[in-house]
Amino acid sequence: HVQLVESGGGSVQAGESLRLSCTAPGYTSNNCGMDWYRQGPGEEREWVAAISMTNGTSYSTYADSVKGRFTISKDKAKDTVYLQMNSLRPEDTAMYFCKSQPSCSYCVPGQCWRGNYWDQGTQVTVS
């Protein structure tokens, strides 16, 4: 079972920034893409951003609510995906999750797993 690990959440004032990171320690992946989601109190989980990898080139897409403020990126060497969140607003308050894309495979010596994997989530609070 693949466990994604996320870090970087916290509490900030409106207008400040946070950077979330997501990785799968102990696994070797196929340099695949990742999505970020968030779920506010009493709300449904919503998609925030995605980064897809095609022939070594990355493509990013964003929800309208975060476009121009959030940036998704990937450090291939560290196999870590980041979500840089600038100009945070109170309405960005939510639990944030990263999810691997269906094309992702994660391997340890002798075994690989493919599919959608979620992390445990990290809280972002903006006041």
Side-chain angles (χ1 to χ4, degrees):
H1 179 70
V2 178
Q3 181 64 57
L4 300 180
V5 176
E6 183 182 349
S7 62
S11 296
V12 296
Q13 298 292 316
E16 294 183 342
S17 300
L18 282 173
R19 188 179 77 160
L20 306 181
S21 64
C22 180
T23 189
Y27 296 89
T28 301
S29 80
N30 58 343
N31 194 29
C32 57
M34 195 77 71
D35 290 73
W36 288 95
Y37 287 78
R38 66 185 181 185
Q39 187 168 17
E43 298 179 359
E44 295 186 355
R45 190 169 295 188
E46 67 168 340
W47 173 79
V48 174
I51 186 165
S52 300
M53 310 299 293
T54 303
N55 297 324
T57 301
S58 63
Y59 300 90
S60 305
T61 52
Y62 301 92
D64 288 343
S65 58
V66 306
K67 198 172 295 183
R69 300 186 298 122
F70 290 13
T71 302
I72 189 171
S73 62
K74 182 167 185 175
D75 184 325
K76 297 178 185 178
K78 296 181 179 179
D79 203 12
T80 298
V81 175
Y82 301 97
L83 184 67
Q84 178 67 43
M85 305 184 294
N86 297 330
S87 301
L88 282 163
R89 305 167 179 170
E91 54 263 40
D92 295 318
T93 294
M95 186 74 77
Y96 283 71
F97 302 88
C98 60
K99 183 187 75 67
S100 61
Q101 293 176 355
S103 61
C104 288
S105 66
Y106 294 93
C107 299
V108 296
Q111 192 169 6
C112 294
W113 296 265
R114 180 183 291 269
N116 296 320
Y117 295 99
W118 294 83
D119 77 301
Q120 77 285 356
T122 190
Q123 179 67 37
V124 172
T125 301
V126 185
S127 58

